[in-house]
Amino acid sequence: MPTTAPSPAIAHPVPTTQAIPPAELSLEERMAFINAAMTVRLAEAAVAYEVNTAHIPTGPVDLADVLTVPLTPTLQPPTPYPTPVAALLQRAHHRLLTGGWCKGALVDAEGARCLYGAIHVEARGDQNLESRGLEVLMDAIRCKFTDVDSVPSFNDAHRSGRVPMRMLDQAAGLAHARGL
């Protein structure tokens, strides 16, 4: 009786390899895997959004139907602080909001004022009130900007009035908190 060769699957022993324990991933590697998984999920969500909203008809929007507020804002003066220095700084802030801010001059050709110019005009000739207001403003400025030597230099160091006017508003709050 002829002997048959064993089947190849049985005849060949399976090489044994020692099991290598899985290496623990570092934080950076885990974050990279999570980032890749989230990128895939976000891409799938974007496609699903496009598919789900493709049937919604859209037309041009007429801005006359959307805008219902006046184009020129009417700024009402805030309730004045009860203390004189705080009220002065608050009035100066409101003047800059409504009349405009400038740099390089107390008042420019259009009537906009710098920080010092706004405080000066709102002090209405009371030099003691004006100097106390400038002092509180410098205190507020130096809380955030340590290398400033005067109100005019701080004012002129900015390209827009956003930061100077914010500091003037904060100085009004500081004066109110101090009871000035």
Side-chain angles (χ1 to χ4, degrees), residues 62-102:
D62 184 13
L63 290 180
D65 295 336
V66 176
L67 299 176
T68 59
V69 296
L71 294 178
T72 56
T74 55
L75 295 174
Q76 299 297 325
T79 304
Y81 284 117
T83 56
V85 176
L88 164 69
L89 295 171
Q90 186 180 38
R91 288 192 313 269
H93 179 258
H94 185 71
R95 178 174 289 272
L96 292 180
L97 282 175
T98 57
W101 171 86
C102 72

Side-chain angles (χ1 to χ4, degrees), residues 84-92 106 113-139 151-152 168 171 175 180:
V85 176
L88 164 69
L89 295 171
Q90 186 180 38
R91 288 192 313 269
L106 288 177
R113 296 183 177 271
C114 70
L115 288 173
Y116 178 77
I119 291 173
H120 178 75
V121 75
E122 289 298 330
R124 298 180 181 107
D126 186 344
Q127 291 184 352
N128 183 37
L129 181 63
E130 179 180 330
S131 65
R132 291 186 345 187
L134 290 170
E135 181 182 319
V136 173
L137 178 57
M138 275 305 297
D139 289 347
V151 170
L168 189 57
L180 300 175

Side-chain angles (χ1 to χ4, degrees), residues 152-163:
S153 67
F154 174 76
N155 184 79
D156 293 347
H158 292 86
R159 290 196 286 193
S160 76
R162 187 177 58 84
V163 173

Side-chain angles (χ1 to χ4, degrees), residues 44-60:
E44 290 173 354
V47 169
Y49 174 79
E50 291 296 325
V51 169
N52 291 338
T53 59
H55 69 283
I56 300 173
T58 58

Side-chain angles (χ1 to χ4, degrees), residues 25-39:
L25 298 176
S26 69
L27 177 63
E28 289 81 17
E29 292 169 330
R30 288 184 296 182
M31 293 301 292
F33 285 130
I34 290 171
N35 185 23
M38 290 306 295
T39 301

